[in-house]
Each structure stands twice: as C-alpha cells, then as structure tokens.
Amino acid sequence: MPSFPKRLRLLLLVAVLLIVGFLTTSIASYLVSRDAVREGIVGTALPLTGDSIYSEIQKDILRPVFISSQMAHDTFVRDWLLNGEKDPEQLTRYLSEVKTKNGTFTSFLVSEKSRNYYHNSGVLKKIQSDDARDAWYFRVREMNKAFETNVDPDWANRAKITIFINYQIFDYQNRFIGTTGVGLTLDTMSRLLKTYETRFQRNIYFVNESGQVVLTGNSAQGRNSILSHEGISSIAAKILNHQLKPTQLSYQLNGQLIQVNSRFIPELGWYLIVEQNETADLRPVQHMFQLNLLISALITLLVLCIAIYSINRNQRSLEALACTDGLTQLLNRQAFEVVLGQKKN
C-alpha cells in the first residue's frame, strides 16, 4: 500500500503535469493570437485603411486642388488678366460660379499687375507688401512649385480659419501674372476627418513637411510639431521622408504600442498619418488568456480533489481487503498485526 509521502509525490506529479500542460497550451494560444492581431494590424488593417482614406481624400480634399489648377489654366482667366482686367464684375461672376458649383467656402484671384484681390463677392482690397496679412501672396509668387496648401484666416469671412489652395497663374509665355484658388473651412475638413476616424476606428491626422499637425479630427489633439510630441517624436524623422509609398512604423506611448502608417501626398504637400493602438486591440486576447489561466487553475484543483478522493477511497478498500477474511468477513491475522504495530508506535 502506498505511504503518505508516495501519495503526496503522486499528487504533486499530477499537479505539475496539469499546470505545465495548461500553461503551455494557454501561452502558445496567446502568442499565436497576439501575432495574428499584430500581423492583421501591420500587414492588413493599417495599409487598407490608409488606402481607403487616401481614396476618400482624393474625392474630398484633393478636389479643391484640381479646381484651383483648372482655374489657373483657364484661358478665360488668363485672357481677362492679360486684357487689362476690364469688367471686374465678369470675374466676380466667374469666381461666384466656381464657389457655388463646387461647394467651396471661398474662391479668389489676385492680379500681379494691379494687385487687386478679387473675391467671389467682389473686389476686396489691394495687396500690400507691408501688410503681414498679405505675406502669403509674395510667398506664393516666389515659389518654385505651382501651388501650396496653406491654413490661414479668411479675412473676407470674419477671419474664419480656412484651408487655402494658392495656385500660380502664368501667361502663354510662362510669366507670372497672378494667383488664384479656393478655400475650405478647417471646421469642414475636421468634421470630415472625424467621420473617417469613426468609420475606420483609427486616429487620423495630417502634418505638413516640417512636421506641424495641420489638420485633425480629434479636438483634444494638439497642433504642435510631431518632432516634439511625446512618443511619435522618436520616429518623426522617418515619417517626414517624402516617400510616396506608405511607411510602416511603431512607437511606445505611456506603456502602449502604437502602430503607424504614413504616406506623403504631393498634391497637398502633407503627410497622412494613420495610427492604431495595438495594446488596446490586444486587450481582448489578454483577457481571454487570463480567463484560460483561471479555468485551467480551477480544472487543476478539481482534478487534484478527485485524485485525492479516489486515492483515499482506493486505499481504504485495499486496507479493508487486506485485513478481512474473504470467506467469513472477519478480521484476519494481518489486522491484529496492524493494530499491534499501531500500539507499538
């Protein structure tokens, strides 16, 4: 018959086998699930989200760039400027029609010759080189590229913050003759990004070529440079790389792993950044891992209890068989030896 130490060793062996078995399967299952979630985020979710948002941007944000380009290359606009800017009302009707037809917040044109600022509501003012509010025009005039996307107050509409597409106008001999374009309110674009964030369940925002956050759908997010933002500053230089193909990076913030997908959009001169919190997405997997450990512990305890009960029951049965005569059911000599041994002890 097994002694108590032998029974204890047997129970410990059973417990160790159960614990090792459950831990191995639970940890293996967690690691596989974690890697699957990470691969889903890095390899599928973020790239697809970036592509989808880029397609949406082409419709909703890049459209004003194309509108401004058409205005700058419109023969009517160029001929009207070259012919002495006669009949300003004619250009006002043109700008008003562009605004109404395309649903923009504003449309404008500035003549290099007269320095008149034409608006969809009429002639607003003359551009002055010593006016800080007009510095944008002289910056655009000296640009080496055809247009810029700029965030400025729209002084024609109660200084409402607006995204302007400033496009250079050249005559038929490629000489600079003015600037034209349209504007969209920042509120409108922020609501659009908020719609993207709700639909795709990601953090989405734009930064310019210097890293400044220029557009976000999250009102709590600051508009400082990502070069100084906690966490993302560690990879900011890699984001601002002017590469057209998407860049996949990650950074740590408050103990959480954030996956980042970024791409440069040359039509805007901005970087589209899509972020996803991998740590948050792993929480359901972690909760399942903890639940598996709890269930494993309960099963281990249950098995040990059953094993103890079975071993004790079998031992009592063996002791009864050993001390009882099978024919008469009376105590045999071995029973007396057991009793005497107990007395000696």
Side-chain angles (χ1 to χ4, degrees), residues 293-310:
L293 290 181
L294 177 60
I295 293 173
S296 299
L298 292 175
I299 292 175
T300 300
L301 288 175
L302 179 60
V303 170
L304 289 177
C305 290
I306 293 173
I308 292 172
Y309 173 77
S310 299

Side-chain angles (χ1 to χ4, degrees), residues 53-69:
I53 294 173
Y54 181 69
S55 298
E56 296 283 345
I57 289 168
Q58 284 184 313
K59 294 189 298 182
D60 299 318
I61 298 181
L62 297 184
R63 188 162 164 266
V65 176
F66 300 139
I67 295 169
S68 300
S69 175

Side-chain angles (χ1 to χ4, degrees), residues 13-41:
L13 178 60
V14 172
V16 169
L17 290 175
L18 288 173
I19 291 172
V20 171
F22 283 131
L23 277 179
T24 302
T25 55
S26 297
I27 292 174
S29 176
Y30 170 73
L31 293 177
V32 170
S33 300
R34 184 198 65 183
D35 292 343
V37 170
R38 178 169 297 171
E39 178 61 28
I41 294 173

Side-chain angles (χ1 to χ4, degrees), residues 61 113 128 132 191 220 245 261 285 292 297 308:
I61 298 181
K113 183 178 181 180
Q128 304 291 335
R191 285 196 297 270
K245 68 176 185 177
N261 182 276
V285 177
N292 285 339
I308 292 172

Side-chain angles (χ1 to χ4, degrees), residues 70-182:
Q70 289 177 341
M71 294 169 67
H73 294 90
D74 195 318
T75 55
F76 162 75
V77 171
R78 290 191 285 181
D79 290 343
W80 185 86
L81 288 171
L82 293 173
N83 290 333
E85 304 173 34
K86 300 173 183 177
D87 191 6
E89 183 64 27
Q90 192 176 25
L91 183 66
T92 299
R93 289 196 302 270
Y94 171 82
L95 295 175
S96 179
E97 182 67 19
V98 168
K99 173 182 177 295
T100 303
K101 182 179 179 181
N102 297 287
T104 62
F105 181 66
T106 186
S107 59
F108 64 92
L109 183 147
V110 178
S111 168
E112 170 66 10
K113 183 178 181 180
S114 67
R115 297 289 171 83
N116 283 337
Y117 188 112
Y118 297 100
H119 187 258
N120 52 269
S121 60
V123 181
L124 291 185
K125 56 177 290 189
K126 279 189 176 292
I127 295 293
Q128 304 291 335
S129 59
D130 57 353
D131 190 341
R133 294 181 299 180
D134 298 335
W136 67 269
Y137 174 77
F138 299 97
R139 181 183 66 247
V140 172
R141 186 179 65 172
E142 301 301 324
M143 288 192 317
N144 293 323
K145 54 185 180 180
F147 76 97
E148 70 165 9
T149 304
N150 189 41
V151 179
D152 266 333
D154 186 357
W155 301 106
N157 290 287
R158 295 175 292 181
K160 196 170 184 66
I161 300 300
T162 304
I163 301 175
F164 287 101
I165 312 299
N166 303 317
Y167 221 106
Q168 295 174 332
I169 309 174
F170 293 92
D171 64 12
Y172 301 106
Q173 283 74 44
N174 205 34
R175 292 173 298 194
F176 179 79
I177 57 174
T179 300
T180 190
V182 296

